[in-house]
Each structure stands twice: as structure tokens, then as C-alpha cells.
Amino acid sequence: MTLGILSLVLVIAVGAGVGLVLRGGGSGGSGDSGDDATGKAATDSNTVVVKDDEITKLVQSHSRALASGDAKAFTSIFDQKNAALVRDQARVFANLRKMPLAEKSYQVLRRQGRAQDSFGRGVKFTQDVAFVHRFDGIDLRPVSEWYRWTIEKASPNAPLVVTKVQGAPPTISGEASKTMYFPGPWDVWPDVVVAKAGDSIVLARPQDAALARRVAPTVSAAAASDLAFWEKNGDPDAAVPTGFVVALVEGKAQLGKLFRTAKANEAGVSIPMPSWGVGNDTVKIGGTRVVMDTTSEFFSNKQGIMEISEHELAHSLVAGLDSAQFALFGRANWITEGFAEYVAGRSRPIAQNRRADEGRAYVAGRLAMPFDGRLPSNALWDFKQMTSVNYLMGHVAMRFIAQKYGERKLVEGVVAAYRAPGDDSEAALFKVLGVTRADFERQWAGYVRGQFA
């Protein structure tokens, strides 16, 4: 249960309209790949060259085919000799047509490889393409999923042919995900069930259709609960969604391979997606995708489903307030996870929390690390299986703030933490509360010991 932020480290204005581009790009896409001058006309009839406008026309025709519902045109750009590829892309088309998208188009990103040959030989290169889309009534702004197409041109007058489709990787190494918001359910599921959940939707594979319909009312109730909490305590002018996209998967392997490609250890995740074409827009995160593991303990009963839904949707609720500025260490986990835990568990006594026994063991010194009165640090968040109790400590910190300062002040502090650069999140919160970190920890430590004595 975490806010999975994929490489929100750069805010770059790029010619193609990718405002918060998580890595480079450009209108022609040639970037730093060492391509030939594809924007210039060939001077020799034997020269095979791919010009920028050819790429643009290819991508635009793909957009028009999806928008108009022309399956034949949509699949026509792919290698017709590769039956599996054409079949897969026909499935992607059919799945995307089921999505309630208010906007959808493909946009050119960067290119890599040899796009010109002077000896009449065919060329082969990769072209990254953004699938820009916005779920109707859910996403605050359009967001993008990045594909990497392998494209070939056999001769000077031959058409461009897409021979392979995969997810585009980040352009900076060391990212948690190996792909940029790829794959979507439409890419990897044979079919997609769309279950209405109030103003939200639940996506599932065909075999989970009944489960999706059963979970949908709980997701709707969780969204209503979180939004009611925000309406009572939040800034009415802040950019927050009124609906959410929730996808159901089975097991950690699937959890790590939807809207990202990463190792997953959570029961659920809220994945923020940068807005496309940010410019001067203050909304850097255009939408989120919530993915929940149906094999987790939370799905053993309705209360558990409500709890994980309220938690993940709480992350999604405030994601649009993220400043998305560079952060060396990142926003304090005890704030982000503590807030989501508080929103999900605020109506129940802490003694009824599923982690309460761990809290008592922690205070009693029976865990790997004894309680020392300090707030959890990001550096030690997962140290020696302390993750679960650190979630609890974040929750208790938020509960302490709510009881001492009120829920409105709690929300004000959390919003300030989101709007500040990640490394300054704690300072921003404490400034709102009008207390030093040292004084807060001292008071909070006493509160913790009182709760778990």
C-alpha cells in the first residue's frame, strides 16, 4: 500500500508538448540518438530516408483510427506478415474502445537508431510514442503511457512498418520501473471488464468480472468517504479528482506489471501519472492508477476491501497537489502513508487497527528495533521488516495531529507537505502546525506510549 511515484525528478518543457516529461523527447524525436538528418530530403534516388513528417503522419493516422473506431486502419501500420503482432494490436484496439476516454491520441517522442541509408538498404530504428489519454470525469489532465515501436522502411518508396511494440524505458537509469506507465490493462489482458463504481471505474480481467462487480460498490463507498472527508476539511479550490481508476490483479507479479514494470511488495498501489503538456499549469500530476492485489489479506472480507480502497484512494485524492519537484530523499513516508492510513482508519479506535499488536510489541521493545520516540525515517522505512509498524507510526502521528490541532489543520499540513519539494515536506508540515520537529516528536512519543502501553 504505497504511493508509487515513477521517477518524478524532472520538470522539463519539451517541444512535443510533454511538459512533465520524465525523460527527454522532442517534436521530431531524433534527440541524442545519433540519427541522420531525417528532416532533410534525400539527394539520391537510392537513399532510404525516414523524414520527420512521415513519422508524424504515421502517428496521426493511428490516432484517427482509434478515435473513429476503424480497427483495420489501426492495425494497418503493423507488420501484416506477423499475425501475432496484428492480433495483439487488434486486441489493444478493442480494449481501448471500451475505456471511457474523453481524450485519446498518439504523440511523437524520441527516436533511436539508423533512419537513413545511402546505399539503398532498408532502415530499422525505434520510435518512442506517447499514448495521451484522459479518463472522462476522472483524470484532472491528460496523461501518457509510453510505447517503443520498432519501425522498418524497406526501400526509398516503401511505407513505414511497425514490426515490434513494447514499453518505452525511462531515459535515466536507476528508476524503480523499467517502463513508463506501460503496460495498461488494454495491452496485456485478453479482454477488459469495466465495472461502474459511482464516479469511479473498476477494471478487471474477464475471469474476475464477478469480483469486479462485487468490489465496485465498496470502491464507490470508499471514494465517497474520502471525498466527504476532503469536503469537510480540505481546500475547496484545490485540484482533486471526483472519481478514480482502480484495476484488480492477482498476485504480486501482476501487481508489479500494470502501469509499470517493477518488483511489487505492496497489497495495493496508487501510481501518479504526470500531466501531458504541463506548461504553466500548477497541476503536475494529471491522474493516478490504483492497482490492488486480490490475493492480499484485505480481500478476505468487505471491511478489508473498504480499508485498502480508502487508503489507496486517499493517495490518489491528493496526488494532484504534488509539486513534482526534484527531491533527493523524497517526501517523508510517514506523512504520505500516515495520511492514507488515517483516512482509511479514522473512524475506528486505534486498538482495533490490524497493526495494533505490532504497535504494542514495538513500544515494549520486542521488535528488531526498539521504539525511541523518533518519527520513522525513509532510510529505515523497510529496515528489518519494520515496514508495517512504520505505517502504523505514521497513522498514529496523523491521529495525534488530528486530536491536538484538528482535522482541518491536519489536512492543511499534509497539503503543504505535498506542495513543498519532497525533501522539505516535514518542515512544511511542522510550519503549518507551528511546532518544531523536536517538540512534536517529544509530544507524539508520549502519545504513542499512551496508546500502546
Side-chain angles (χ1 to χ4, degrees), residues 5 39 41 79 185 222 320 351 411:
I5 297 181
D79 183 3
V411 172

Side-chain angles (χ1 to χ4, degrees), residues 144-196:
S144 62
E145 172 192 11
W146 290 16
Y147 292 96
R148 173 159 289 181
W149 289 352
T150 299
I151 299 179
E152 297 185 22
K153 184 173 183 176
S155 63
N157 297 318
L160 299 181
V161 177
V162 180
T163 59
K164 185 177 182 180
V165 177
Q166 57 192 133
T171 57
I172 292 181
S173 61
E175 300 300 339
S177 176
K178 296 179 181 178
T179 52
M180 299 301 292
Y181 309 101
F182 171 93
W186 41 83
D187 298 305
V188 291
W189 291 352
D191 193 3
V192 181
V193 173
V194 183
K196 191 72 174 166

